[in-house]
Amino acid sequence: MDFLSFVIGLCLTWIIIKTFHIIPRGKANQKRLPPGPKPFPVIGNLLELGDKPHRSLTKLAKEYGPIMTLKLGRVTTIVITSANMAKEVLQTHDQLLSNRTVPDALRVHGHDELSMPWISISSKWRNLRKICNGQLFSNMALEANQDIRRKKVQELVAETRQSSVTGEAVDIGKAAFKTALNMLSNTILSVDLAGPNSDTTLKFKEIVWTAMEDIGKPNLADYFPVLQKFDPQGIRQRTAVNFVKMKNIFTHMISERLQLRKVSGSLTKFDMLDTLLNICEENNEMMDKKAMEHFLMDLFTAGTDTTSSTMEWAMAELLCNPEALSKAKLELKQVIGEGHPVEESDISRLPYLQAILKETLRLHPSTPLLLPRKAGADVEINGYIIPKGAQVLVNAWAIGRDPTLWENANLFMPDRFLESEIDVKGRNFEIIPFGSGRRICPGLPLAIRVLHLMLGSLIHNFDWKLEDGVNCEDMNMEEKFGITLQRAHPLRAVPI
C-alpha cells in the first residue's frame, strides 16, 4: 500500500467514525427527492461516476429518469439530463439555482472568491459581468477588434499553407489554441503571447488543460469536506502550481503596463488592460490588481481551451464525413469565391457552416456537465424536491444526444439544422453548450465569431486528409474528461 492509499484509507476510516456520530437517530428526511441508485454506506454513489462522468450519468438516467439523485459522499447531487428539466433549472428556477458548489481545487490563491464563473451572485459578480458585456464582448467592442481576429486567422492560414507545401501534418488543436491565444492576448494585452518560434503555445495549453482536468475530476475533498485539510489526491496542490504559472504571466504584463503609464508622453494602448487599469484607478472597489489577475486567468482559460477543443472536434467529424465537408466547401466557394478570405460579416450567409458548428457543439459540448449549481432553497421540480444546499449538475452532453429530441442522435448530421430555428445561444434547451440564464457564458458572442471564422478559413483554403496510415475507421475519437471535454488523441491532418 503506497502512502496516498494509506492516507485515503485512514481518512475514510475517520469519516466512517464521524458519520455515525453525526447521523441523527430520528426519522429520515421526508422530502421527496428524485429517484436514483441506492447509495453505499459512507461513499454513496461515488463508484457510479467512473472516469467519464458525463457518460456514466447518461447511462444511469436511462434507468432513473431525467432528474435523479446521487449521494456523492456527503454531497446530495441532483442530475438533470433532459431539455425540459434543464429549462426548469436554468430558466424557471434560475434565481434560486444560480450559485455554485465550488470544487476544492479552486480554493487556491483566493480564486474561488474572485473568479466570475464561480463566485455567488453579488455586486462583485454583477460588476465583472458588466465589464464583460460592456467592454469586451459587446457588439461595439467586437467590431472594434475585428481586425485583430482577421490578422490572426490570416497568420493561421499562412502557417497552414506552409505545412501544405512541405506535406507536414498540422496539429489542429495546437494550431487553433495558438490562434485563439493570440487573438485574446492582442485584444487584451496588445501582444502575442505565443510567438512564431516559441514553445509558449504548448506550455500554456498544457497548463490550462492540466488545471481543467484536475478541477473536473472526482475529488474526495469535494465529497468529504473534512478531507479538505489534507488534499488527499494532491489536486489542490497541483492546481495551485498551475495557477501560479498563469498568474505570473499576467502579473508581469500588468506591472509592465503600469510602468509604461507612468512615463510621460507614452501612448495609450486602448486595449482591455488599459480599460481595466482605468477602472482600478476610478473605482478600486469594483476592480483591483489582484481581482484583475484572476479575471485575466478566467478569460484566457475559458477563451482558449474551449475554442481549440471545439475546432478539433469539428475537423475530426468533417474528415470522417466527406459529404458534409464537400457541402461546406461548395457553400464557401459560392458565397465567398475562390481566393477571397472568409470575413466575420460572411457568417450570416453561410448556413451550412453554421449547421456544422451547431452539430459539433451538440455532439461535443466543450463543457459536458455545465458548471455545478447549488440550491439556495428547497426547489420543487416535476413533483420532486431539490433540497437547499444540494449540488445540481446539468448534463449538456446527454441532452445533446437525447434520442427523443434528435433523430440518429449519435451521428454527425449537420443538415438537421438547415431547416431549424434552434441555436446555441441559451434560448433552446435541446442544445446548451454555453449554458443559459444569468450564468450563460459571457464569451458566447466572441466564441461564435471566432469558431466560424477559423473553421471556415481552414475549410475554404485547403483540402484535408488524415496522416498517412490513418483512416477514418481507425481514428480514435476517445475523450478526456475535465471541466472541458478534450480529444484523448490530438488530431493531425495534412492540408492540401
Side-chain angles (χ1 to χ4, degrees):
M1 178 183 291
D2 60 25
F3 178 75
L4 178 59
S5 300
F6 172 77
V7 172
I8 293 174
L10 185 65
C11 292
L12 286 176
T13 303
W14 184 37
I15 291 165
I16 293 171
I17 296 170
K18 295 290 286 184
T19 299
F20 284 112
H21 280 86
I22 291 170
I23 293 175
R25 300 296 181 184
K27 288 185 177 181
N29 194 321
Q30 297 299 310
K31 293 175 183 175
R32 192 180 178 211
L33 292 172
K38 185 176 180 180
F40 287 104
V42 183
I43 64 170
N45 304 109
L46 279 177
L47 298 180
E48 309 272 9
L49 291 180
D51 61 350
K52 294 182 177 64
H54 60 298
R55 288 183 176 272
S56 54
L57 294 176
T58 301
K59 186 176 180 181
L60 283 172
K62 292 177 181 177
E63 182 175 355
Y64 296 102
I67 177 170
M68 64 179 176
T69 303
L70 296 180
K71 193 72 174 177
L72 303 179
R74 304 286 296 167
V75 180
T76 298
T77 300
I78 309 299
V79 183
I80 303 296
T81 53
S82 79
N84 288 337
M85 294 299 101
K87 184 177 182 180
E88 290 290 308
V89 168
L90 303 177
Q91 184 180 87
T92 307
H93 300 285
D94 185 39
Q95 188 170 355
L96 294 175
L97 297 171
S98 282
N99 288 331
R100 301 291 192 200
T101 54
V102 182
D104 182 62
L106 285 169
R107 301 182 191 278
V108 294
H109 306 296
H111 192 67
D112 59 312
E113 299 173 357
L114 294 167
S115 170
M116 186 178 66
W118 297 100
I119 59 176
S120 300
I121 301 296
S122 60
S123 59
K124 184 188 296 184
W125 178 84
R126 281 185 281 273
N127 285 337
L128 292 172
R129 190 80 186 197
K130 184 178 179 181
I131 292 170
C132 281
N133 292 340
Q135 304 290 343
L136 191 57
F137 303 124
S138 67
N139 282 332
M140 184 181 296
L142 292 174
E143 288 297 324
N145 294 317
Q146 190 173 162
D147 284 345
I148 292 174
R149 295 188 293 277
R150 179 187 294 114
K151 180 182 177 182
K152 295 305 152 188
V153 169
Q154 287 172 352
E155 290 174 5
L156 169 65
V157 170
E159 290 179 11
T160 305
R161 184 165 288 117
Q162 184 59 38
S163 295
S164 73
V165 171
T166 60
E168 295 178 27
V170 174
D171 184 322
I172 300 295
K174 182 180 175 182
F177 190 97
K178 177 183 176 181
T179 303
L181 178 59
N182 282 339
M183 280 182 181
L184 274 178
S185 63
N186 272 272
T187 301
I188 297 171
L189 307 170
S190 297
V191 296
D192 278 345
L193 276 184
N197 299 312
S198 75
D199 59 355
T200 304
T201 302
L202 193 58
K203 288 181 180 178
F204 201 89
K205 192 175 192 296
E206 185 179 344
I207 291 169
V208 171
W209 167 247
T210 303
M212 293 299 99
E213 186 177 29
D214 278 336
I215 293 166
K217 70 173 53 170
N219 184 356
L220 289 173
D222 290 328
Y223 308 128
F224 303 102
V226 294
L227 290 182
Q228 289 178 0
K229 297 178 184 177
F230 307 101
D231 188 25
Q233 293 159 263
I235 290 175
R236 191 186 333 119
Q237 183 180 2
R238 289 196 300 275
T239 305
V241 171
N242 284 308
F243 272 31
V244 166
K245 291 177 182 177
M246 272 193 285
K247 183 172 172 288
N248 286 345
I249 294 171
F250 302 122
T251 300
H252 175 70
M253 300 298 296
I254 293 169
S255 298
E256 275 195 344
R257 183 64 61 85
L258 285 170
Q259 290 299 317
L260 183 64
R261 284 161 68 102
K262 292 177 182 178
V263 177
S264 177
S266 63
L267 294 175
T268 302
K269 296 284 188 179
F270 295 111
D271 57 14
M272 184 63 182
L273 181 54
D274 263 338
T275 300
L276 294 176
L277 288 171
N278 290 338
I279 293 171
C280 281
E281 292 173 358
E282 294 165 9
N283 185 353
N284 194 254
E285 291 184 3
M286 187 173 183
M287 174 74 72
D288 59 22
K289 185 171 178 288
K290 183 178 180 182
M292 194 187 311
E293 292 168 351
H294 288 265
F295 185 57
L296 293 176
M297 287 169 62
D298 285 336
L299 291 178
F300 276 87
T301 52
T304 53
D305 184 63
T306 54
T307 299
S308 61
S309 64
T310 301
M311 278 293 299
E312 205 170 3
W313 284 116
M315 287 295 291
E317 291 288 3
L318 287 172
L319 285 167
C320 283
N321 292 271
E323 184 179 347
L325 181 56
S326 295
K327 285 184 179 181
K329 288 184 72 66
L330 179 60
E331 178 183 72
L332 286 158
K333 182 179 178 181
Q334 292 174 340
V335 174
I336 310 297
E338 289 187 9
H340 297 288
V342 181
E343 300 285 355
E344 291 179 17
S345 57
D346 297 321
I347 294 171
S348 61
R349 300 187 295 136
L350 298 166
Y352 199 75
L353 181 66
Q354 294 178 50
I356 286 170
L357 276 165
K358 287 178 185 178
E359 183 71 342
T360 300
L361 290 166
R362 179 186 73 83
L363 286 171
H364 309 286
S366 55
T367 309
L369 301 177
L370 300 184
L371 298 188
R373 294 179 172 230
K374 185 177 183 179
D378 286 358
V379 177
E380 182 175 348
I381 293 179
N382 203 37
Y384 300 111
I385 296 295
I386 298 177
K388 180 179 179 179
Q391 173 176 249
V392 181
L393 297 177
V394 177
N395 192 342
W397 187 91
I399 295 170
R401 293 171 182 252
D402 185 345
T404 67
L405 297 174
W406 308 99
E407 184 181 356
N408 297 316
N410 291 312
L411 296 183
F412 182 78
M413 297 168 54
D415 295 68
R416 74 173 83 238
F417 286 105
L418 290 179
E419 302 299 326
S420 171
E421 296 298 319
I422 292 175
D423 64 31
V424 296
K425 299 178 181 179
R427 298 179 293 233
N428 306 106
F429 295 88
E430 301 95 324
I431 175 170
I432 44 174
F434 298 96
S436 183
R438 71 183 70 188
R439 286 287 194 173
I440 194 169
C441 173
L444 187 155
L446 175 62
I448 293 297
R449 291 180 180 231
V450 169
L451 288 169
H452 285 95
L453 183 61
M454 208 184 296
L455 182 63
S457 296
L458 291 182
I459 294 172
H460 185 47
N461 287 282
F462 306 98
D463 291 324
W464 292 88
K465 68 175 184 178
L466 293 168
E467 276 189 300
D468 291 341
V470 179
N471 55 51
C472 187
E473 290 73 23
D474 297 331
M475 190 195 297
N476 193 321
M477 299 288 275
E478 188 182 350
E479 307 150 332
K480 286 194 301 184
F481 180 86
I483 285 286
T484 56
L485 196 65
Q486 300 276 338
R487 285 179 56 81
H489 301 274
L491 175 65
R492 293 179 59 82
V494 179
I496 303 168

